[in-house]
Amino acid sequence: MSLPVYPDCPQALAAVGTAAARAESPEMIRDFSDRLLRSFLALCENPRTRQGMLTMVQASVGNARMGQRFYRMLNRTVVNPAARATGVHASALRLELVSGQLVGLAMMRYVLRVEPVASVGTEEIVRQFAPAIRATLKGS
């Protein structure tokens, strides 16, 4: 299953943002995790892509093949474009671990609806969760 590309999807936004990212200060580039989380949450919450994302999250739990497909899609449409757009360079292992964090977040927030994760605002999720992604990328 693949998701269509819309002008406001993370893939398109990352492509447009690549030139701007080159001009960003080091502090803005460091905020890859913020950009990544916002892109991922937008993909999960956008009415045009929400159902496809949630279907893939749920299917990935019980089916290893679907799980691998979902991780590939997540890396191709969210993680790698955000990394390119912000100039972040990390090992494949660390980027895969970040993808695992995103899948866990999606499972808690949208599938299991664990409170308060399910109802807290996007900005609060970004504020609380971005440091964990930064730590994974740095290996600390």
Side-chain angles (χ1 to χ4, degrees):
M1 175 185 304
S2 65
L3 296 174
V5 177
Y6 296 99
D8 60 345
C9 80
Q11 194 174 14
L13 293 173
V16 170
T18 300
R22 290 188 187 115
E24 291 177 349
S25 69
E27 295 83 26
M28 294 179 85
I29 291 172
R30 186 180 66 84
D31 286 329
F32 160 77
S33 57
D34 292 9
R35 185 182 296 220
L36 175 68
L37 281 168
R38 284 189 183 93
S39 295
F40 181 70
L41 293 170
L43 192 59
C44 290
E45 294 174 4
N46 185 319
R48 294 183 287 184
T49 55
R50 178 181 176 92
Q51 191 55 50
M53 286 294 291
L54 298 183
T55 298
M56 285 190 280
V57 169
Q58 290 171 320
S60 70
V61 173
N63 183 318
R65 189 171 167 188
M66 284 299 294
Q68 290 170 350
R69 235 172 127 184
F70 179 54
Y71 273 94
R72 281 194 306 270
M73 184 281 306
L74 185 60
N75 282 321
R76 187 178 66 249
T77 62
V78 180
V79 177
N80 292 329
R84 281 191 305 272
T86 58
V88 166
H89 300 285
S91 70
L93 173 61
R94 290 188 186 175
L95 290 175
E96 290 293 333
L97 290 171
V98 167
S99 293
Q101 289 174 293
L102 295 176
V103 172
L105 174 63
M107 183 64 73
M108 288 179 65
R109 186 170 171 91
Y110 304 108
V111 178
L112 301 175
R113 298 174 195 217
V114 175
E115 289 297 342
V117 176
S119 61
V120 73
T122 298
E123 289 306 310
E124 185 63 14
I125 291 286
V126 170
R127 190 177 75 73
Q128 294 285 336
F129 201 64
I133 291 176
R134 280 193 284 275
T136 299
L137 290 170
K138 289 194 283 184
S140 55

